[in-house]
Amino acid sequence: MHFNGFYFNPLSVKINVESQTGLDPSGQKVISKIFHNKIVTFPFEASKSFAKTIDPGFLLEVLGPAGFLLLILSPVEIFRRKRKLGFIHLTVVLAVLIFSLRPISPKIAFWAVSISFYTLSLWGIGAVVKNKYISFFFIVLIFYSLWYFAINWQMPALCNEIFFN
């Protein structure tokens, strides 16, 4: 499996529209074009590309279980404390995710998304240290993450393109 990046290809909108209109009955082309058009298809195709950046499997591969937990807790902590810097950080991460959809190198997209998620996950530490049960669970999760990275050290979805090419 090769890492292809998160690039949103505008041609996929046209392909999707043409394939959907081709599947409808042949005598109904005008009605088919009303329901299958680029305006309706564009948000769907763009959201599919954006969803690749926040795919739980990808995030787990990059952050590990402990980082994934922190990433989930970080927006909760930012919104609960109403930290202005945290809101700015969330906006920057969103901008990086949108930037990664552009036609750039998969290496740059990977590193930009990874670093933005790593820095965002640091906001979740405040939620972990407040509760002793969550702190204990998090310490266990850190050891599990080390084991997880030892077993999954190659990250097959990423290594072929990012590190070995």
Side-chain angles (χ1 to χ4, degrees):
M1 183 173 186
H2 293 286
F3 181 73
N4 296 324
F6 309 109
Y7 172 58
F8 167 65
N9 190 356
L11 188 59
S12 65
V13 174
K14 184 175 182 178
I15 292 170
N16 191 340
V17 169
E18 293 298 323
S19 67
Q20 292 300 320
T21 54
L23 293 175
D24 286 344
S26 61
Q28 309 281 333
K29 288 293 182 189
V30 174
I31 295 173
S32 176
K33 288 199 181 248
I34 291 172
F35 292 106
H36 305 292
N37 56 49
K38 292 177 184 172
I39 295 171
V40 173
T41 306
F42 177 80
F44 176 71
E45 290 295 322
S47 65
K48 281 189 345 187
S49 293
F50 184 78
K52 286 192 283 185
T53 63
I54 56 173
D55 177 45
F58 169 74
L59 293 175
L60 191 63
E61 237 177 30
V62 171
L63 299 173
F68 190 69
L69 175 68
L70 287 177
L71 187 67
I72 291 170
L73 293 174
S74 61
V76 172
E77 189 69 17
I78 290 170
F79 282 104
R80 191 170 55 96
R81 291 186 177 217
K82 295 180 174 72
R83 303 285 304 243
K84 185 176 181 180
L85 187 60
F87 289 119
I88 292 170
H89 195 170
L90 280 173
T91 306
V92 169
V93 169
L94 183 62
V96 167
L97 295 179
I98 292 170
F99 170 75
S100 69
L101 300 179
R102 305 281 308 146
I104 58 174
S105 165
K107 291 179 185 181
I108 294 171
F110 169 75
W111 286 111
V113 169
S114 297
I115 290 170
S116 68
F117 280 135
Y118 271 114
T119 58
L120 182 63
S121 68
L122 294 176
W123 286 95
I125 293 174
V128 170
V129 297
K130 287 183 181 175
N131 188 329
K132 65 180 178 180
Y133 297 114
I134 294 177
S135 296
F136 176 74
F137 176 70
F138 184 70
I139 290 170
V140 170
L141 204 55
I142 287 174
F143 288 114
Y144 177 69
S145 295
L146 293 173
W147 176 76
Y148 176 81
F149 283 132
I151 298 298
N152 194 27
W153 70 273
Q154 287 184 332
M155 292 188 239
L158 306 173
C159 284
N160 289 335
E161 181 66 30
I162 300 299
F163 298 110
F164 297 129
N165 286 339

